Amino acid sequence: MWCSRVSLRRLQRIAVAPLKASSPVISMQRASSTLPRVYVTRKIPPEGLRILSESGQVQYELWDSDDPVPRQELLRRVRGVDGLVCVLTEKIDGELLDAAGPSLRVLSTMSVGYDHLSLEELKKRGIRVGYTPDVLTDAVAELTVALLLTTSRRLIEATHEAKTGGWGTWRTMWLCGYELANSTVGILGLGRIGVAIAERLKPFKVQKFIYTDVAPRPELARTIQAEYVSMEELAKQSDFLAVCCALTPETQGICNRKLFSQMKNTAVFINTSRGGVVNQEDLYEALSSGQIAAAGLDVTTPEPLPTSHPLFTLKNCVILPHVASASYSTRNAMSALAANNLLTGLRGEPMPKELKL
């Protein structure tokens, strides 16, 4: 497990030949027309842009905005590129790959998830894919713990009451929540992030960790002394259930009415993985009926979630705007890894983090 700061320093040391004369990073990096052409679909954090600029290996064009590039503009800009750096809002499918044409050799996504990529289409065309796992482990784990505590101890409700005059005399049961001490924490999808979450929760005197996955993961489980259980037992036993699995056809909507009906009515549900693993209509019913106590979500479907969505009407549902990896060091480390994946891929060398298709 990498610490984000250590990862960033390591990535900065990956050999990239500096330019003899540096130029400011603007929407288009001016370079020799013989260099590989790269399109960057978003204004990524400065460390990644610095690496691309100082490498002397590519000429790149940047969509210089915090907002996504419009689809038609994206299809136009990718024509004839050799490399593409994208983020999770860009759908990389057959249409886009056809627009890019046969010159596209390397795709580098600044994300750990890859459900926005058509992997079969990329494999069919022989396009190498880089992604950015590991460097965001610490940031996501920290945010998950923060969201869990915020949800279980009803901090958003408490803040609202303090601001709006609801804070009156001391009352014995007012704004009571649920403690981690002596609880059972369940993890759906035990990977590095799941382990990192458990490590951070241990000092809260959690009594037991349980998990489920496609198969037992004894080496990872041993580090946190977690017990492998079935999906049904995970639901039944967990006082806090943290979802950490990837979005795949198998996990699409896996957190649904059946799961919620098996959970305790005092249970707290937390999702910082992907919105698609949760059936949001079933979650709303579970929360509004008191079937489960509360939920904290950093991811939804769609994103952004419309402000008119019923989940926003519930006091026992805390929704964040997909900010789990939003720390300065982590986002810079992600952009640095994405840049180095691209450059090494274009050189025909092993990427620091390559998705094997």
Side-chain angles (χ1 to χ4, degrees):
M1 188 183 305
W2 294 351
C3 169
S4 297
R5 292 185 179 86
V6 173
S7 303
L8 181 54
R9 288 197 295 270
R10 180 181 173 189
L11 291 166
Q12 287 170 334
R13 290 198 298 268
I14 294 176
V16 289
L19 288 170
K20 292 181 181 178
S22 60
S23 58
V25 177
I26 52 177
S27 60
M28 171 66 81
Q29 175 69 30
R30 302 296 180 186
S32 168
S33 60
T34 61
L35 292 176
R37 288 182 56 222
V38 171
Y39 187 68
V40 184
T41 68
R42 188 75 67 87
K43 184 169 66 176
I44 61 174
E47 190 60 26
L49 292 178
R50 184 193 66 78
I51 289 171
L52 291 179
S53 299
E54 295 181 2
S55 71
Q57 296 178 33
V58 296
Q59 52 178 325
Y60 72 86
E61 187 176 1
L62 167 73
W63 179 254
D64 193 18
S65 173
D66 286 326
D67 295 319
V69 54
R71 181 69 176 182
Q72 290 306 311
E73 179 74 6
L74 177 61
L75 294 175
R76 185 171 71 86
R77 293 294 183 182
V78 298
R79 289 174 190 162
V81 299
D82 301 278
L84 184 63
V85 178
C86 71
V87 295
L88 52 80
T89 55
E90 273 69 70
K91 186 177 182 181
I92 309 301
D93 55 9
E95 178 189 36
L96 184 138
L97 298 176
D98 286 341
S103 61
L104 181 59
R105 294 180 281 140
V106 178
L107 169 73
S108 180
T109 180
M110 191 184 129
S111 64
V112 62
Y114 42 83
D115 45 283
H116 57 301
L117 310 180
S118 297
L119 300 182
E120 283 302 316
E121 292 290 339
L122 289 159
K123 182 178 180 180
K124 184 169 66 177
R125 292 166 167 81
I127 298 170
R128 296 175 65 187
V129 178
Y131 69 135
T132 59
D134 304 334
V135 293
L136 48 64
T137 297
D138 290 335
V140 174
E142 287 178 8
L143 188 283
T144 303
V145 172
L147 180 57
L148 187 154
L149 291 169
T150 298
T151 304
S152 65
R153 295 303 301 271
R154 302 171 66 179
L155 300 188
I156 303 299
E157 287 181 75
T159 300
H160 176 77
E161 293 295 321
K163 284 182 176 180
T164 58
W167 184 4
T169 185
W170 185 85
R171 286 164 273 175
T172 57
M173 300 302 291
W174 188 52
L175 290 174
C176 284
Y178 299 94
E179 295 180 15
L180 279 160
N182 303 310
S183 69
T184 295
V185 172
I187 299 170
L188 176 53
L190 186 66
R192 289 184 179 89
I193 291 174
V195 169
I197 291 167
E199 288 174 338
R200 285 157 174 78
L201 292 178
K202 271 186 179 180
F204 288 89
K205 299 180 182 179
V206 170
Q207 186 174 70
K208 184 180 181 182
F209 290 102
I210 58 177
Y211 77 99
T212 196
D213 212 315
V214 291
R217 308 195 68 178
E219 289 186 12
L220 282 174
R222 202 157 32 242
T223 63
I224 56 171
Q225 298 180 316
E227 176 189 346
Y228 178 77
V229 297
S230 67
M231 188 76 166
E232 182 177 353
E233 282 303 311
L234 187 81
K236 287 181 177 179
Q237 294 187 37
S238 296
D239 296 300
F240 301 89
L241 201 164
V243 182
C244 307
C245 61
L247 178 59
T248 67
E250 293 72 30
T251 61
Q252 179 77 41
I254 196 171
C255 299
N256 52 26
R257 180 176 286 105
K258 180 180 179 181
L259 177 82
F260 300 133
S261 68
Q262 295 168 336
M263 292 174 67
K264 303 174 183 179
N265 61 11
T266 55
V268 175
F269 176 84
I270 302 294
N271 183 22
T272 54
S273 60
R274 284 290 184 268
V277 304
V278 178
N279 183 311
Q280 290 175 173
E281 288 71 28
D282 291 353
L283 177 61
Y284 174 80
E285 289 300 323
L287 290 167
S288 59
S289 67
Q291 195 167 68
I292 64 174
L297 311 174
D298 184 49
V299 287
T300 60
T301 303
E303 291 184 355
L305 190 66
T307 55
S308 60
H309 196 281
L311 284 172
F312 279 121
T313 67
L314 301 175
K315 289 184 177 181
N316 59 343
C317 187
V318 176
I319 301 174
L320 303 180
H322 202 152
V323 292
S325 66
S327 75
Y328 293 111
S329 58
T330 290
R331 290 286 173 85
N332 264 306
M334 290 173 71
S335 71
L337 180 51
N340 282 307
N341 280 337
L342 177 86
L343 295 174
T344 53
L346 288 173
R347 293 199 300 264
E349 299 172 2
M351 294 181 184
K353 290 292 175 180
E354 183 167 1
L355 190 60
K356 303 300 181 183
L357 303 181

